[in-house]
């Protein structure tokens, strides 16, 4: 079967020729990988597109088949869309991605003049009232995608899914290991049909002993939970065990952090695999799992355990190795986050508080002393901070380069980003939830302007027609 045509980004005019073999040669052309500084006085290169030309995107020409659901996989696919990839989101007919129902809040879908794709009435709320629209949760991870509903149990739909995998550059899925084999969509089958495919599989606990375990974020964050089996008793990623107040109930993070971190790891792995394909023409399997991503995020806490053999415990907002690096009470008990990372900053803090003698006190002079005498230190600081509000202290301490700030709500954080010129919110159409702006800023290949997440099977007719046609026909334009 002929391979589909995939437009690839043009290499720079001065790029070295690519190896002609299927595998890398292990050597680089002379001078490759070295940087030569331009002559003194040379004008810096411009990254801007020529006047009137649309800016290039880093992943122009890349097609992503997003078979994943919930958060980690969809968020990784949305990030690839930000970078210019075309993303097709494949969902179950009738219900779609689980997160379409994860509300409230729900937002009404824009009118389409069509019945629900299943031909049925919309799913009801608890209590029986019909629910129109999609949960805001879904919109958070599904911007800039085309929607296609396929029932993998239907032979025709399964064939369309296999054809999509054959045409794609990247496939993302989070099915339980082995469950896609019966549809011909496991990585062995997809890469046999499409050797250049980067197949990314996301699981909760890997493809070994944890392969059959469902991987919801909350379970992975947990510090063990009821030991109804030995394996589940040892499952948790440890984050909850170090989150909360000393002696209190372990707490999860306020967002599905394991999923978000896994999404970023998946994106990194996919981009690395695409770079390898640029050199060799060969795709590969990319495996990530929530537990490993969360363990990797424990950084100093995991390193401290490996160094001492002791388990860290919860410390509230305090830092185990730095002081003061926590929230401190100001006037009326309002909280100020202070992050003093070195002795110079502590001296500036002490002076700004009108107590320079604190920096000369043997209990507080060095960071390790401050950590050992944290209780006395915090009492001394809060006694002086009580004279002003967090906002007042933020102005005074920031002026002397002491990192600090009030504890913002989500709305206040967005307002702060707007004041700082970061444009944190991007509109995606009338009546649709605005999107949080991508944090990426690329001078030569800026991120794409996002468009609204798809309704269930919104682009299904055009995509099914495309998948049933010649493989070298281009993807129909997005409307």
């Amino acid at each position: 079967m002929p391979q589909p045509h995939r437009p690839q980004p043009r290499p720079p005019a001065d790029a070295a020729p690519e190896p002609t073999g299927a595998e890398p040669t292990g050597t680089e052309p002379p001078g490759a990988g070295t940087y030569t500084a331009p002559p003194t006085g040379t004008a810096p290169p411009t990254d801007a597109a020529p006047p009137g030309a649309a800016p290039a995107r880093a992943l122009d020409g890349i097609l992503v088949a997003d078979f994943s659901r919930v958060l980690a996989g969809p968020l990784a696919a949305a990030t690839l869309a930000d970078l210019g990839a075309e993303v097709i989101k494949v969902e179950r007919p009738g219900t779609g991605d689980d997160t379409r129902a994860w509300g409230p809040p729900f937002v009404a879908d824009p009118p389409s003049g069509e019945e629900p794709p299943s031909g049925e009435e919309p799913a009801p709320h608890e209590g029986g009232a019909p629910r129109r629209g999609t949960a805001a949760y879904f919109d958070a991870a599904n911007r800039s995608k085309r929607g296609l509903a396929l029932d993998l149990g239907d032979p025709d739909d399964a064939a369309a899914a296999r054809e999509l995998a054959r045409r794609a550059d990247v496939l993302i899925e989070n099915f339980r290991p082995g469950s896609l084999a019966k549809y011909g969509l496991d990585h062995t089958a997809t890469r046999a049909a499409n050797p250049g495919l980067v197949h990314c599989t996301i699981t909760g606990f890997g493809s070994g002993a944890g392969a059959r375990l469902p991987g919801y974020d909350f379970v992975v964050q947990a510090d063990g939970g009821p030991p109804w089996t030995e394996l589940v008793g040892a499952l948790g990623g440890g984050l909850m065990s170090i989150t909360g107040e000393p002696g209190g109930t372990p707490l999860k993070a306020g967002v599905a952090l394991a999923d978000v971190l896994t999404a970023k790891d998946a994106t990194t792995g996919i981009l690395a695999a695409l770079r390898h394909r640029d050199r060799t023409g060969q795709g590969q399997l990319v495996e990530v799992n929530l537990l490993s991503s969360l363990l990797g995020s424990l950084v100093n806490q995991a390193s401290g355990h490996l160094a001492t053999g002791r388990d860290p415990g919860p410390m509230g907002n305090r830092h185990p190795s730095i002081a003061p690096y926590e929230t401190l009470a100001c006037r009326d008990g309002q909280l100020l986050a202070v992050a003093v990372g070195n002795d110079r900053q502590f001296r500036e803090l002490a002076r700004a508080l009108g107590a320079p003698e604190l920096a000369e006190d043997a209990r507080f002079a060095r960071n390790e002393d401050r950590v050992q005498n944290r209780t006395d230190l915090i009492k001394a600081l809060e006694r002086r901070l009580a004279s002003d509000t967090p906002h007042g202290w933020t102005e005074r301490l920031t002026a002397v380069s002491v990192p600090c700030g009030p504890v913002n709500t989500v709305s206040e954080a967005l307002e702060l980003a707007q004041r700082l010129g970061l444009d944190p919110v991007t509109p995606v159409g009338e009546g649709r939830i605005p999107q949080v702006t991508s944090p990426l800023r690329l001078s030569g290949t800026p991120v794409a302007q996002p468009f609204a997440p798809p309704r269930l099977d919104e682009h299904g007719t055009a995509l099914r027609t495309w998948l049933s046609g010649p493989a070298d026909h281009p993807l129909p334009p997005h409307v």
Side-chain angles (χ1 to χ4, degrees), residues 11-19 27-33 275 278-279:
D14 59 350
E18 296 288 346
T27 61
E28 295 284 351
R275 179 67 185 102
D278 288 344
R279 295 195 304 265

Side-chain angles (χ1 to χ4, degrees), residues 348-356 358 380-381 384-385 393 396-397:
E348 293 294 342
L349 171 64
R351 278 196 286 267
L353 293 176
L358 291 177
L381 295 178
R384 291 162 174 85
L385 288 168
W393 282 118
R396 294 156 68 177
L397 296 178

Side-chain angles (χ1 to χ4, degrees), residues 84-388:
E86 291 279 3
V87 179
I88 297 175
K89 181 174 181 65
V90 180
E91 301 178 75
R92 294 183 299 259
T95 56
D97 190 306
D98 296 353
T99 60
R100 287 186 181 273
W102 282 13
F106 292 97
V107 177
D109 287 330
S112 64
E114 301 175 1
E115 292 299 311
S118 64
E120 302 173 357
E121 286 299 309
H125 275 306
E126 291 184 20
R131 187 194 72 234
R132 296 278 178 181
T134 297
Y137 199 118
F138 175 84
D139 278 27
N142 288 287
R143 61 186 174 273
S144 304
K145 301 179 185 181
R146 307 185 197 211
L148 173 64
L150 294 176
D151 177 2
L152 296 183
D154 178 88
D156 291 338
D157 280 8
R162 288 191 294 272
E163 180 61 19
L164 175 58
R166 197 181 70 82
R167 298 186 185 196
D169 299 283
V170 176
L171 185 150
I172 303 174
E173 49 90 0
N174 60 349
F175 287 76
R176 287 191 179 185
S179 63
L180 286 176
K182 61 184 175 182
Y183 307 115
L185 289 169
D186 59 300
H187 74 90
T188 301
T190 59
R191 291 202 52 237
N194 180 0
L197 179 69
V198 173
H199 185 129
C200 178
T201 182
I202 300 172
T203 62
F205 303 99
S207 55
R212 307 309 300 170
L213 298 172
Y216 279 110
D217 178 280
F218 180 65
V219 177
V220 178
Q221 285 194 39
D223 65 344
W228 53 275
T229 71
E230 183 180 357
L231 180 59
V232 172
L235 276 183
L239 181 61
M240 286 178 65
S241 75
I242 57 173
T243 306
E245 291 296 330
T249 301
L251 299 175
K252 73 178 185 69
V255 71
L257 188 60
D259 277 297
V260 174
L261 293 167
T262 303
K264 291 181 179 295
D265 286 345
T267 304
T268 301
I270 289 167
L271 294 176
L274 288 172
R275 179 67 185 102
H276 172 76
R277 193 186 72 168
D278 288 344
R279 295 195 304 265
T280 68
Q282 297 296 304
Q284 61 182 293
L285 175 66
V286 175
E287 294 185 89
V288 293
N289 67 80
L290 274 68
L291 179 57
S292 293
S293 289
L294 189 57
L295 289 173
S297 76
L298 295 181
V299 289
N300 60 298
Q301 296 281 28
S303 182
H305 165 71
L306 295 173
T308 66
R310 295 192 297 271
D311 279 321
M315 297 184 64
N317 291 323
R318 293 169 289 282
H319 194 287
S321 306
I322 313 172
Y325 200 101
E326 56 199 89
T327 51
L328 302 175
C330 299
R331 181 186 295 168
D332 299 325
Q334 298 176 77
L335 295 179
L336 174 72
V338 176
V340 170
N342 57 54
D343 297 337
R344 180 195 61 78
Q345 290 176 344
F346 182 71
R347 289 193 294 272
E348 293 294 342
L349 171 64
R351 278 196 286 267
L353 293 176
E357 68 278 5
L358 291 177
E360 306 302 324
D361 190 317
R363 297 173 298 165
F364 311 138
R366 299 177 304 167
N367 176 67
E368 61 190 275
D369 302 320
R370 294 191 294 276
V371 171
Q372 292 296 323
N373 297 283
R374 188 193 303 268
T375 300
D376 290 341
L377 171 67
I378 299 311
K379 288 179 179 178
L381 295 178
E382 291 188 332
R383 189 162 56 248
R384 291 162 174 85
L385 288 168
S387 64
D388 204 349

